[in-house]
Amino acid sequence: MNPRAYWRFVVVAARFLPLLLAYARDRNRFLFFGPRRRVTAEQRRKRARTLLDTLLTLGPTFIKLGQLLSTRPDVLPPEYIEELEELQDRVPPAPWEDARVVLEEDLGPIDERFDEFDTEAISGASLGQVYRAETEDGSVAVKIRRPGVQSLVEADLRVIRWSLPLLMYFVGESRAFSLETLADEFEKTIREEMDYGREAEMLTEIRANFADNDRIRMPNVDSSRSTDRVLTMEYVPGTKITDLDELDERRLDRTELAKTLQRAYLQMIVEDGVFHADPHPGNLAVQDDGTLVFYDFGMSGYVDPFIQDRIVDFYVAVADQNIDAILDTLVEMGTLSPEADRQVMGDVLELAIADARGEDIEQYRVQQIVQQVEDTIYDFPFRLPANLALVLRVATVVEGVCVTLDEDFDFIDVATDYLREEGYLADTAREYVQDRAGEFQDAARSAVRTPPKIEEVLDLATNDDLQIEVDLRDSQGIISRFTRRLIYGILLASGILSTSVLYAFADVESAAVAAGLAALAGTLLVYSFRKRRGIRAQPQFTRQSLRERREE
């Protein structure tokens, strides 16, 4: 076993012990017994700042852990989320001589691989640092893994694993499962981010998806000078996206920039299924012609098709202000516990939408809705899927950048236009009609199966020692007539609704077919009432008739 891991365990335990003792006293005032303590929002915020300082002190692994925790409202209260969102992965670069060892071990002598190499790092992070160099093909940015960081991360991962059983006691059983899944997710994420070979593959894949979009620019990878510890990319300069004065001086349309950014992420998440997951302002820039530049693909991920479909449903539900549909989608995605109080959550969403509307009823933002939901979600523990946590975080960060560019930016309007252009709204309408048709078929089958099931139940009826044998005859066709009318009524209502939906979202021909089916169902419904109106049933058996049958 690595001795470094044991020493790190002691250091980490000493740093976290005061916080853990405070949490334990929240459960039992006198640590092992006594009533629970009431913790105010201000106390939680103070503890969150202490946690932030602790993570910064412990170094690269725990800085990354804090960034991941900021995307997990199922693990931490809102005050912690807000504080950890400010955690910046910016640390002084390691000495050049140490970085040089890594570079030359992987690529060989610098003078042979680069025409020029600037030994002053242009940026430094907890896991790596970036330098600028020149090659025969032009300027490049060279990202080098921080020397010694892998052994430190491996030691810290062991410490986290050893600490989990102890941590479970302090946080209680309700979030034990979430913490275990978080540990698995974190171990996978940080190892992926240290693997520059994977980052090169993700960058290449995402870049290819935008090959035909001249408004988006992503660096090209120099694979001949890249390894698992060194990533060489095309150097693409640009103005930081939140440098508003510089953007205005260059006379760039900030509203169009916001739309471009939002549509790019909608394409990545909804269409492509692979996305850049770290869209903070330091990783976004703008060129003089308004082209949007993306940097740093170390944090990126995939979205499975099921989640993609649910995200589309979510956007459509928000655009329609359909609270029930929003809640249903959140439950299906796993972001909201099925046991949560729907009335409470519905009130939260309604307040969030009303608060975001302002003077214009159409102006509201997804960020405020998601934030309100996250604030309430902490009271309903659940497992938040790892990639979905990244997607939710990306959505809020992107919306924040867009609002910085244009304070009146309409997130939903852009999303709705994108979904309509890509055909998702029309698909949603067709799927709705198909779903309703399936429901009507089920209803028809159920109606047909009802008479024999009633007969079976009555056959099993008993009264003390008397066994009742039932012979139910529908001599007047009551059940059959009632079933037909029910089916015709359902088909008529479905036809009218389908006609309206298809006319609004599809084409006139489809709407005409639906209208014809509705007219046919209406005619049959009217005809079913012609011979006899109402239902008057006579009992088919009585106690007296049963007694007479037994005597016979």
Side-chain angles (χ1 to χ4, degrees):
M1 187 62 68
N2 186 357
R4 184 177 190 176
Y6 289 107
W7 174 243
R8 284 291 288 178
F9 180 79
V10 174
V11 173
V12 171
R15 289 286 181 179
F16 279 104
L17 188 58
L19 277 174
L20 293 177
L21 289 175
Y23 295 145
R25 291 192 62 204
D26 291 344
R27 297 175 63 193
N28 300 109
R29 180 179 294 274
F30 303 107
L31 199 59
F32 297 106
F33 61 92
R36 296 177 61 92
R37 294 196 305 179
R38 183 178 180 276
V39 182
T40 65
E42 184 56 36
Q43 287 175 316
R44 283 197 296 266
R45 191 168 297 280
K46 183 178 179 181
R47 291 180 185 177
R49 296 191 188 104
T50 302
L51 175 61
L52 179 61
D53 292 339
T54 300
L55 295 173
L56 288 170
T57 302
L58 290 174
T61 309
F62 290 90
I63 290 175
K64 289 294 179 183
L65 179 60
Q67 291 177 322
L68 181 60
L69 284 169
S70 70
T71 69
R72 298 299 299 262
D74 58 320
V75 176
L76 292 176
E79 294 82 6
Y80 286 78
I81 300 296
E82 292 173 9
E83 291 295 327
L84 293 180
E85 282 177 347
E86 302 300 322
L87 190 60
Q88 295 295 316
D89 187 16
R90 296 290 180 265
V91 297
W96 159 244
E97 289 304 321
D98 294 339
R100 178 178 187 142
V101 172
V102 175
L103 182 62
E104 293 193 335
E105 283 180 355
D106 283 27
L107 298 183
I110 295 176
D111 295 341
E112 296 180 8
R113 302 307 306 271
F114 299 94
D115 296 340
E116 295 181 22
F117 199 101
D118 187 352
T119 59
E120 291 293 327
I122 58 178
S123 73
S126 59
L127 300 180
Q129 48 209 47
V130 181
Y131 298 85
R132 185 175 176 181
E134 297 290 334
T135 69
E136 65 275 10
D137 298 322
S139 297
V140 293
V142 184
K143 187 176 180 180
I144 304 174
R145 186 195 293 170
R146 184 176 284 271
V149 73
Q150 185 170 13
S151 61
L152 175 62
V153 168
E154 291 299 333
D156 286 341
L157 289 176
R158 289 192 185 96
V159 170
I160 292 171
R161 281 294 177 190
W162 296 342
S163 304
L164 271 179
L166 179 64
L167 193 60
M168 298 302 181
Y169 171 78
F170 291 99
V171 301
E173 296 180 0
S174 61
R175 286 172 178 80
F177 183 71
S178 290
L179 283 174
E180 286 185 308
T181 57
L182 175 65
D184 293 336
E185 175 191 346
F186 175 64
E187 186 172 341
K188 176 176 178 290
T189 299
I190 196 168
R191 284 200 171 115
E192 287 179 347
E193 198 165 347
M194 285 193 299
D195 183 358
Y196 290 171
R198 178 186 181 276
E199 181 176 347
E201 292 174 359
M202 298 296 284
L203 168 54
T204 301
E205 182 176 357
I206 297 174
R207 185 174 186 270
N209 292 333
F210 288 88
D212 298 330
N213 191 335
D214 57 5
R215 299 178 63 84
I216 303 293
R217 180 83 180 273
M218 299 175 186
N220 190 24
V221 175
D222 185 345
S223 56
S224 66
R225 296 181 177 87
S226 297
T227 67
D228 290 344
R229 297 193 299 172
V230 177
L231 176 59
T232 303
M233 303 164 286
E234 173 188 11
Y235 179 75
V236 183
T239 302
K240 187 176 179 180
I241 196 168
T242 52
D243 190 347
L244 304 185
D245 292 337
E246 183 69 20
L247 296 178
D248 290 339
E249 188 175 315
R250 297 176 185 274
R251 297 185 177 181
L252 295 173
D253 189 331
R254 288 195 268 129
T255 301
E256 284 301 314
L257 284 175
K259 289 181 180 179
T260 301
L261 175 62
Q262 175 58 28
R263 291 176 67 90
Y265 271 96
L266 284 169
Q267 177 183 326
M268 283 188 262
I269 293 171
V270 173
E271 185 69 23
D272 301 332
V274 55
F275 64 101
H276 174 271
D278 197 13
H280 69 75
N283 288 337
L284 300 169
V286 185
Q287 295 187 309
D288 292 345
D289 61 354
T291 301
L292 186 62
V293 183
F294 289 77
Y295 303 123
D296 193 355
F297 289 75
M299 189 178 292
S300 51
Y302 291 97
V303 189
D304 64 68
F306 173 80
I307 294 297
Q308 285 180 293
D309 292 341
R310 300 293 76 73
I311 289 173
V312 172
D313 293 341
F314 175 78
Y315 284 139
V316 172
V318 172
D320 292 341
Q321 301 181 39
N322 188 333
I323 302 299
D324 285 335
I326 295 175
L327 291 174
D328 290 341
T329 304
L330 291 174
V331 170
E332 289 177 7
M333 288 192 294
T335 63
L336 180 64
S337 169
E339 299 176 0
D341 188 324
R342 289 181 67 92
Q343 183 61 48
V344 172
M345 295 304 299
D347 292 342
V348 169
L349 290 174
E350 287 180 356
L351 288 173
I353 293 175
D355 180 62
R357 284 176 181 171
E359 296 182 358
D360 186 347
I361 194 172
E362 296 297 331
Q363 293 291 323
Y364 51 91
R365 300 187 179 103
V366 166
Q367 182 187 24
Q368 291 169 287
I369 296 173
V370 172
Q371 185 62 53
Q372 291 279 14
V373 171
E374 287 181 349
D375 291 349
T376 309
I377 276 175
Y378 183 70
D379 296 328
F380 305 100
F382 65 96
R383 179 181 180 181
L384 186 62
N387 282 344
L388 185 56
L390 280 179
V391 170
L392 290 175
R393 176 63 181 150
V394 163
T396 56
V397 174
V398 168
E399 201 269 345
V401 173
C402 291
V403 171
T404 301
L405 291 169
D406 177 8
E407 62 181 10
D408 296 323
F409 182 73
D410 191 338
F411 184 94
I412 295 301
D413 187 52
V414 174
T416 302
D417 288 344
Y418 176 85
L419 295 176
R420 182 176 291 111
E421 291 172 12
E422 297 299 320
Y424 286 104
L425 287 179
D427 288 342
T428 301
R430 283 193 291 271
E431 290 172 3
Y432 178 84
V433 174
Q434 292 172 357
D435 291 343
R436 298 295 78 76
E439 291 176 3
F440 300 143
Q441 290 176 357
D442 292 340
R445 284 193 292 267
S446 297
V448 171
R449 290 195 299 263
T450 297
K453 287 185 178 295
I454 293 176
E455 190 171 5
E456 180 181 351
V457 170
L458 293 175
D459 285 341
L460 297 175
T462 59
N463 183 11
D464 296 327
D465 294 332
L466 176 64
Q467 183 173 354
I468 301 177
E469 185 175 345
V470 179
D471 182 15
L472 179 63
R473 296 184 178 90
D474 188 17
S475 60
Q476 298 178 352
I478 296 172
I479 296 176
S480 176
R481 191 160 56 251
F482 177 79
T483 301
R484 286 199 302 273
R485 292 173 183 173
L486 178 62
I487 294 174
Y488 294 155
I490 292 174
L491 291 176
L492 175 61
S494 171
I496 294 173
L497 181 60
S498 300
T499 302
S500 303
V501 173
L502 292 173
Y503 184 80
F505 296 102
D507 49 64
V508 177
E509 290 79 7
S510 300
V513 173
L517 293 175
L520 177 60
T523 302
L524 293 173
L525 179 62
V526 172
Y527 182 80
S528 69
F529 284 91
R530 287 187 59 189
K531 292 184 178 180
R532 189 170 183 173
R533 299 182 183 275
I535 298 177
R536 290 196 296 268
Q538 293 181 350
Q540 300 297 308
F541 64 90
T542 63
R543 286 181 179 270
Q544 178 64 27
S545 63
L546 285 173
R547 187 177 298 112
E548 292 174 353
R549 290 185 185 183
R550 290 192 64 187
E551 291 174 354
E552 292 174 357

